[in-house]
Amino acid sequence: MKEGEEGEEEYHNYPNIVLVAAMNSNSVGEFREGEIDGNPFLIYTLLSQTENPSSREAAVDSDGGTVDDLSVEPLILCPTLRLKVKNLKPYTSDSDRSFFPLVVSSHFPTIQSGHQQPEYMLQSYSCKLPLLPLFWCDNKNPNIYDFICRACTTIEQGTSYYVCVTCGDQFHKECVGAPLEFKHPFYPSLSLQLYSPPSGRVLCSCCQKPIYGMNYYCPTSNFTLHLFCAFKPIPFVIDHPKRHPHPLTFFPKQSFLPCHVCSLIKKFIPTYICIRCAFVVHQDCIYFPYVIKISRHHHRISYTSSLSSGKWSCGVCRQEVDNDYGAYSCNKCDDYFVHSRCALRRDIWDGIELEGVPEELEIIVEPFITISDGIILHFSHGHHLKLDTSKAYDENKLCQACTLPIYEGGYYSGVDECDFILHEACANAPCKKYHALNPYPLTLKVVTNEYHDNKGRFRCDACQRESCGFVYVDDFRGCYADTKDYKFKIDIRCASVSEPFDYLGHEHPLYLALNPEEEESAICHICQESKDESFSCKKLNCIECDFVICFKCATLPYKARYQHDKHFLKFYEAKEANDHSEWCDVCERRIADLRKKGFYSCDDCCTTLHIDCLLGEDMYMKPGHTIMYNMTGSRKHYQKKLHIHSNNTLSRPFCSECGERCRQKIVFEYKEKYIFCAVSCQKLVIDYS
């Protein structure tokens, strides 16, 4: 068989692609024994370097900057081009949701090698020159602003680097020669093939970090590997006295040994052992930090290799902690323990090792200044506010922080006929706080028309509702490279949820005990929305039964008022609908039409309303506010400003999109000629005039 014919037969479904190299991984590189700093390693080596071991040294002169001979360097195709070739395959509805096998070899086609010019090299997007080595940055710690490997999309430090002079992208040496298929020494039973990942959330089975670029994937085992993780040098022996006093030796049969640090059996994580002590540890567990701060506890916690006798549960997942293995514990709380891997989850830990770092005193900033008895000056408003008690329900009295009406209890309002109102509880919300959903400190901010690039709104990361109320935002730039530009935001009601959470509709306390994978698949018992429908709402669950509730439902008022009923309306689950009125008093539609989301009902007057009919589909949007959406249409970028008005006219307007009467408490006006009943209705309408 001639070179390239094997690939053409195997990938017959891609007629527009001509393969330029054989599929055999040995034609690219392989793991071989070598030394790094005098220690034995298995090192992935490109075959051109294997055939001439001195080629690397011959390429650099005595000053380290002059290249004498690059002929020994392999001619490597730009990985970015290898990814672009997948666009030649016809697009389907599943193209973005499934792994896509890459079929182009890393070899750059040359006349000398006898390769024909493949079709993809003739495309306008083609990188038509081979990669060049970047000697100047070898063995330097990369900076996120100076280097990111466009093959694996990480900023991990490599042994050397390459650049494409056509597109300007830079790459790890370990990533540029990625073969289409190979066997890894850590996973000898798996056939790893080169893929492009789907658009959804995919984690590396080794380092548990997100994958956005080229990766290795085994469909039969659902095993995924970063390119950088696949080609990292493999140490035979690790000497880390801080974790264990004796050297640790690589043990390939790791699938049945529990780790003494994390207590788990991890089939796809390399295992090291000390035969003298019968000590077993995963490779990544060797370097676990000793003192950390997590979002689920108000004190620092530290690693301990064994626990005191007793029955303990994990402060994160709420499962039992095995006393015979390591875990994190609180030195100030005798009964607080966390599984090692639970404590180091990226949504729990901020990634900072605190051993040897002195604790700082927390400075408490009060949200208001007390002027006199019942009179305050709140940081969010320039006028004095006085404390009052709600006597009669007025649906137009809205709290500026949570944007909900004043149903009962105390509230602050303007002294000088000012319409600014805050619930007493919202006025006491701290300016700085920690929340269980985020490992960094949060700052309370007021959302004005100029907030967040003049958008005047935000989306809560817990309940996924859009809001114009107050927001807790994380301004800390974390240590994780792929989250440095992301700011966690949570509305003031979701920020009030803590563990254990006492939900009035359930007899047991609720916790944030689901891991990210469980949370994605869990279905809320109230709204029963799937992952795609809920936009990844955070969820609380009961550890005594199977009850799960999302933040969107958990933060609904359990009791609410309706302007035409003198009693409170209570929230009911969908399964209780048979005992109540069949029709909604506002929209005059059957309650059963939206029964899966629950409803509100008055037991005394038989008043029954859908949730959206009582509170509004956009319950956290407030009249008098202006919000903006960035839109794209006709290959142009537009900024759509929407003005929010109270829907209190004698004749309710028709929505410009759905054509129905606007029944919500607010309407959205666009360019003085479009009216929308909800945010969801405006998204497809762009006026180009």
Side-chain angles (χ1 to χ4, degrees):
M1 182 178 294
K2 295 181 181 180
E3 185 176 11
E5 289 181 355
E6 179 184 348
E8 290 175 348
E9 290 178 2
E10 183 171 353
Y11 290 93
H12 58 82
N13 292 326
Y14 309 97
N16 294 326
I17 298 175
V18 179
L19 296 182
V20 300
M23 282 287 296
N24 192 333
S25 63
N26 291 330
S27 65
V28 181
E30 62 187 11
F31 279 95
R32 292 203 170 185
E33 292 186 24
E35 288 189 357
I36 299 178
D37 296 330
N39 298 314
F41 280 79
L42 279 176
I43 304 172
Y44 186 80
T45 313
L46 299 178
L47 275 191
S48 59
Q49 295 170 316
T50 302
E51 294 161 357
N52 188 352
S54 63
S55 62
R56 184 68 181 149
E57 289 76 17
V60 186
D61 69 1
S62 59
D63 295 329
T66 303
V67 178
D68 295 329
D69 183 12
L70 294 181
S71 62
V72 294
E73 290 292 334
L75 293 180
I76 301 295
L77 191 71
C78 178
T80 305
L81 179 58
R82 299 177 72 184
L83 281 169
K84 288 179 179 178
V85 171
K86 80 171 188 177
N87 295 330
L88 294 177
K89 182 188 176 187
Y91 182 84
T92 66
S93 59
D94 294 329
S95 295
D96 292 333
R97 287 184 282 180
S98 58
F99 285 89
F100 186 91
L102 299 182
V103 296
V104 176
S105 167
S106 61
H107 282 295
F108 190 87
T110 64
I111 297 176
Q112 290 86 348
S113 61
H115 296 148
Q116 295 180 349
Q117 188 79 335
E119 180 180 337
Y120 64 81
M121 292 295 291
L122 304 177
Q123 302 294 329
S124 59
Y125 57 68
S126 176
C127 299
K128 296 179 171 60
L129 294 173
L131 299 180
L132 292 179
L134 279 176
F135 297 123
W136 59 268
C137 63
D138 285 2
N139 301 318
K140 293 182 180 179
N141 284 316
N143 185 292
I144 186 173
Y145 302 108
D146 298 331
F147 171 81
I148 181 170
C149 176
R150 292 300 175 184
C152 67
T153 67
T154 73
I155 62 168
E156 300 290 340
Q157 183 180 6
T159 56
S160 58
Y161 309 88
Y162 280 78
V163 64
C164 175
V165 294
T166 305
C167 65
D169 287 341
Q170 299 177 355
F171 310 93
H172 294 117
K173 183 201 75 174
E174 292 86 350
C175 298
V176 297
L180 298 177
E181 184 175 354
F182 89 120
K183 297 279 189 179
H184 194 282
F186 277 165
Y187 321 105
S189 63
L190 302 182
S191 177
L192 300 176
Q193 300 177 17
L194 193 62
Y195 279 81
S196 173
S199 57
R201 185 173 183 265
V202 178
L203 298 180
C204 174
S205 300
C206 178
C207 68
Q208 296 299 308
K209 295 180 181 178
I211 292 178
Y212 302 109
M214 296 165 63
N215 64 95
Y216 281 101
Y217 177 59
C218 179
T220 56
S221 300
N222 194 26
F223 176 82
T224 315
L225 202 61
H226 273 127
L227 286 190
F228 192 81
C229 292
F231 298 119
K232 281 196 300 188
I234 302 169
F236 284 110
V237 177
I238 296 178
D239 190 6
H240 195 67
K242 189 174 180 180
R243 177 63 64 197
H244 191 71
H246 308 134
L248 301 166
T249 306
F250 173 56
F251 186 68
K253 299 292 185 180
Q254 65 259 29
S255 59
F256 61 90
L257 295 175
C259 172
H260 282 85
V261 174
C262 71
S263 76
L264 299 177
I265 297 175
K266 289 286 189 177
K267 181 179 180 181
F268 296 128
I269 297 182
T271 299
Y272 286 76
I273 64 171
C274 174
I275 299 177
R276 187 187 309 181
C277 304
F279 179 78
V280 179
V281 60
H282 295 128
Q283 185 183 29
D284 59 339
C285 293
I286 295 174
Y287 306 101
F288 277 3
Y290 277 81
V291 181
I292 60 174
K293 178 75 170 66
I294 64 173
S295 63
R296 304 298 177 85
H297 194 61
H298 50 286
H299 299 141
R300 292 182 177 186
I301 57 176
S302 57
Y303 176 80
T304 178
S305 57
S306 61
L307 311 183
S308 57
S309 60
K311 190 174 182 180
W312 312 114
S313 63
C314 174
V316 174
C317 71
R318 306 294 164 177
Q319 301 298 313
E320 183 179 357
V321 178
D322 194 323
N323 299 51
D324 296 328
Y325 296 93
Y328 285 90
S329 64
C330 178
N331 295 329
K332 298 180 180 179
C333 305
D334 295 333
D335 58 350
Y336 190 81
F337 300 90
V338 183
H339 289 126
S340 299
R341 290 196 179 271
C342 289
L344 300 182
R345 276 171 35 187
R346 298 181 71 189
D347 58 331
I348 303 293
W349 175 46
D350 59 9
I352 300 175
E353 162 75 82
L354 297 176
E355 186 177 22
V357 179
E359 292 196 55
E360 298 180 357
L361 293 176
E362 185 176 353
I363 301 176
I364 300 176
V365 180
E366 297 293 342
F368 57 79
I369 300 172
T370 301
I371 305 301
S372 61
D373 188 20
I375 305 293
I376 65 170
L377 180 63
H378 198 267
F379 84 94
S380 64
H381 193 62
H383 303 148
H384 291 172
L385 304 175
K386 63 179 179 180
L387 183 62
D388 205 346
T389 302
S390 177
K391 300 179 177 64
Y393 171 63
D394 182 357
E395 66 174 1
N396 295 317
K397 281 187 175 182
L398 302 178
C399 173
Q400 295 297 305
C402 69
T403 73
L404 291 179
I406 308 297
Y407 293 131
E408 62 178 343
Y411 68 95
Y412 286 95
S413 60
V415 173
D416 302 320
E417 302 300 324
C418 174
D419 60 357
F420 189 88
I421 297 175
L422 291 174
H423 284 115
E424 185 177 8
C426 293
N428 283 280
C431 291
K432 298 270 188 183
K433 75 174 301 180
Y434 284 90
H435 194 271
L437 290 178
N438 187 64
Y440 305 106
L442 304 176
T443 303
L444 184 62
K445 294 186 177 182
V446 180
V447 176
T448 64
N449 291 340
E450 292 76 33
Y451 175 77
H452 199 283
D453 298 330
N454 295 323
K455 292 180 181 177
R457 61 181 175 84
F458 70 95
R459 181 182 291 275
C460 174
D461 285 313
C463 68
Q464 297 299 319
R465 283 195 178 98
E466 293 206 32
S467 174
C468 298
F470 289 7
V471 58
Y472 277 102
V473 63
D474 159 26
D475 286 326
F476 184 82
R477 294 176 65 86
C479 69
Y480 299 114
D482 57 338
T483 61
K484 284 183 179 291
D485 295 327
Y486 168 73
K487 290 186 177 181
F488 178 86
K489 297 176 287 291
I490 187 170
D491 65 56
I492 201 166
R493 282 187 65 81
C494 290
S496 67
V497 174
S498 60
E499 295 183 290
F501 179 67
D502 293 323
Y503 177 62
L504 295 176
H506 190 68
E507 64 270 29
H508 306 137
L510 305 179
Y511 297 89
L512 292 163
L514 301 174
N515 64 44
E517 290 73 26
E518 293 171 335
E519 190 173 55
E520 281 192 0
S521 60
I523 302 296
C524 172
H525 279 57
I526 304 297
C527 64
Q528 299 179 18
E529 289 185 345
S530 65
K531 170 188 170 183
D532 293 336
E533 295 172 313
S534 65
F535 298 101
S536 301
C537 281
K538 300 299 181 182
K539 299 181 180 73
L540 297 143
N541 72 304
C542 177
I543 61 176
E544 299 182 44
C545 63
D546 62 352
F547 183 80
V548 176
I549 186 172
C550 67
F551 266 67
K552 190 173 184 178
C553 295
T555 53
L556 287 171
Y558 196 71
K559 294 192 303 179
R561 293 291 302 271
Y562 178 49
Q563 60 178 336
H564 301 303
D565 195 310
K566 62 181 180 179
H567 307 111
F568 272 94
L569 277 65
K570 180 184 173 183
F571 179 77
Y572 288 92
E573 294 185 39
K575 61 186 179 182
E576 303 174 275
N578 294 332
D579 300 329
H580 297 269
S581 176
E582 189 176 2
W583 301 91
C584 173
D585 287 27
V586 172
C587 68
E588 299 182 349
R589 296 176 181 174
R590 292 173 59 89
I591 290 293
D593 293 344
L594 291 175
R595 275 173 59 178
K596 73 173 186 177
K597 292 187 177 182
F599 58 94
Y600 284 92
S601 182
C602 174
D603 294 332
D604 296 319
C605 306
C606 296
T607 303
T608 309
L609 295 95
H610 293 121
I611 297 172
D612 291 347
C613 291
L614 178 62
L615 302 176
E617 179 179 333
D618 302 296
M619 56 187 288
Y620 291 163
M621 293 289 187
K622 53 190 177 186
H625 209 78
T626 299
I627 60 177
M628 186 181 71
Y629 290 88
N630 295 322
M631 311 292 291
T632 302
S634 297
R635 299 181 180 180
K636 294 183 179 180
H637 181 73
Y638 296 88
Q639 292 182 335
K640 183 194 294 186
K641 285 189 176 180
L642 300 176
H643 302 283
I644 307 175
H645 303 292
S646 296
N647 188 14
N648 53 9
T649 58
L650 293 177
S651 178
R652 300 204 167 187
F654 287 96
C655 176
S656 302
E657 174 62 18
C658 67
E660 298 186 4
R661 291 267 186 193
C662 298
R663 295 184 173 88
Q664 314 298 332
K665 294 181 179 180
I666 56 175
V667 293
F668 300 85
E669 182 188 32
Y670 173 45
K671 287 196 171 183
E672 298 184 350
K673 58 180 179 180
Y674 298 96
I675 295 293
F676 304 108
C677 58
V679 167
S680 57
C681 283
Q682 61 83 27
K683 292 185 177 179
L684 298 178
V685 179
I686 305 177
D687 190 337
Y688 302 108
S689 60

